[in-house]
Amino acid sequence: MRLAWTLLAVATLGFHGRAARAERPPMMDAESTKISGGSSGSARGVSENYLVLPSGGELTGEMTFVTTDHAMADAPLKFSDLALFGLAGRYALFSKLEISGHVALLPKQPAQTDEKAWQSVGFGLRSPLAQTVAIGISGSGGHLLGHDGSWVRQSIGLEIRKPIHEILTFDVSGGADTTVLLRHDHDGGWLTELGVQGSALFRDPWGKVGGWVGLGYAIPVSTRGSDPTTGMALDPRARVDFRIGGVLSLVDHWDLFAELAVIDRGDHSMPATQLPILDGGFDQRQIMFGVTRHVKGKPAASSDYDGDGNMAL
């Protein structure tokens, strides 16, 4: 059933893109950010006015510092004890279809741990369904803690915008997320969650500065099997995440952005409520710094947009 959802979403995205290939992707009064724990859109989309990358592409490098009171080897992680380095690419393949991919590496970890340098890889597709609505699907996978198997995740979600003012937009998104834990000599387990995220997006009228603050809430709806690293039956709980961040787009081809995220995942005293995944598998705080290089493409002709790609008033 999960595979059927994914294939249906891919087909929908492809059909929608072909039917509207002569049009420019619709723009909005404020744009998307990373509220769901993954990249739901370009950071520049907050300071400028597009829901899905309108043309060209971008390459992002980001360093994420993970801190927590209880984590690996039963020791707290302090700032700079553990750092994840991510590389992400995003490209407007054709009108109304954006493809993306990312890889996460582990250049810095505590001396008492020995996690793999290569952590995860993933991909995504996004397409607008209307001027203020977009659909996205994604898939990713990586190593479990202690090299004890692997995880695979797939998700599908819908994102809706409500412009409030020239500098303020409310964003609401929701969807389903399934995580599968695998090991060759273990039955493993899987978890499906339904989540909703709400955020306020801020931008200056000239599209040079943007910011966001938001909350995410998720509940488990289906669970089966056990954690391959502990043998405990999975026992997930409802969780709440918080994010706040900002982006500077002062130069045409470059962005600088930063974000603070508080990730909620179970309870340290009850290991069955957590997941053996480094990025977001247990209660943690993430402090992220990143830079993006943009490659401009030829914008589609449309009387609805000005020369800078913003919606004409």
Side-chain angles (χ1 to χ4, degrees):
M1 179 62 71
R2 297 191 301 274
L3 178 59
W5 289 351
T6 301
L7 294 175
L8 178 60
V10 171
T12 301
L13 287 169
F15 174 79
H16 183 71
R18 290 192 298 271
R21 59 182 177 271
E23 303 174 8
R24 180 182 177 86
M27 313 290 263
M28 300 181 54
D29 291 334
E31 291 311 329
S32 63
T33 185
K34 299 167 64 176
I35 297 299
S36 62
S39 181
S40 65
S42 171
R44 178 167 286 200
V46 180
S47 57
E48 293 189 354
N49 292 330
Y50 54 82
L51 178 59
V52 176
L53 194 67
S55 63
E58 62 181 41
L59 181 65
T60 297
E62 58 188 35
M63 187 70 80
T64 300
F65 298 94
V66 178
T67 68
T68 185
D69 298 328
H70 303 281
M72 306 157 71
D74 258 346
L77 289 177
K78 298 182 179 180
F79 185 77
S80 81
D81 283 349
L82 187 147
L84 288 165
F85 176 70
L87 282 174
R90 193 178 304 277
Y91 186 73
L93 185 62
F94 53 83
S95 179
K96 294 203 172 184
L97 181 62
E98 171 193 294
I99 63 173
S100 62
H102 70 270
V103 60
L105 308 173
L106 183 63
K108 176 67 167 62
Q109 61 181 303
Q112 66 269 30
T113 65
D114 185 29
E115 299 301 323
K116 287 187 178 292
W118 176 80
Q119 278 292 304
S120 66
V121 65
F123 74 94
L125 297 173
R126 282 169 59 83
S127 178
L129 299 181
Q131 191 171 13
T132 58
V133 182
I135 187 173
I137 63 173
S138 65
S140 58
H143 297 291
L144 298 182
L145 290 175
H147 318 169
D148 208 7
S150 59
W151 59 268
V152 178
R153 179 175 294 149
Q154 55 186 350
S155 63
I156 181 170
L158 193 69
E159 198 166 8
I160 301 173
R161 298 284 190 271
K162 174 62 177 177
I164 302 300
H165 187 268
E166 182 182 13
I167 64 171
L168 172 65
T169 288
F170 289 156
D171 170 280
V172 177
S173 60
D177 184 302
T178 296
T179 301
V180 183
L181 308 180
L182 304 167
R183 197 176 72 184
H184 71 279
D185 59 347
H186 191 279
D187 291 338
W190 56 267
L191 159 68
T192 297
E193 295 175 299
L194 295 180
V196 61
Q197 299 84 37
S199 61
L201 309 178
F202 306 91
R203 61 182 296 269
D204 74 279
W206 304 277
K208 301 299 184 182
V209 179
W212 57 89
V213 58
L215 294 173
Y217 178 74
I219 56 172
V221 293
S222 182
T223 308
R224 182 177 297 176
S226 59
D227 180 346
T229 66
T230 64
M232 295 182 179
L234 295 175
D235 186 22
R237 304 299 173 90
R239 55 194 184 89
V240 177
D241 298 342
F242 169 79
R243 294 178 183 271
I244 185 170
V247 58
L248 296 176
S249 305
L250 302 178
V251 181
D252 275 349
H253 296 290
W254 294 94
D255 297 335
L256 296 175
F257 62 91
E259 182 181 72
L260 168 65
V262 179
I263 308 298
D264 176 37
R265 172 69 74 174
D267 192 316
H268 176 72
S269 63
M270 301 176 64
T273 64
Q274 301 180 325
L275 295 179
I277 299 173
L278 179 58
D279 186 1
F282 48 86
D283 283 355
Q284 59 189 243
R285 295 170 293 276
Q286 296 185 354
I287 304 169
M288 178 193 301
F289 302 97
V291 59
T292 297
R293 173 67 164 91
H294 293 266
V295 179
K296 295 293 185 180
K298 184 178 179 181
S302 172
S303 60
D304 293 335
Y305 303 93
D306 60 26
D308 295 326
N310 295 319
M311 180 175 285
L313 299 177

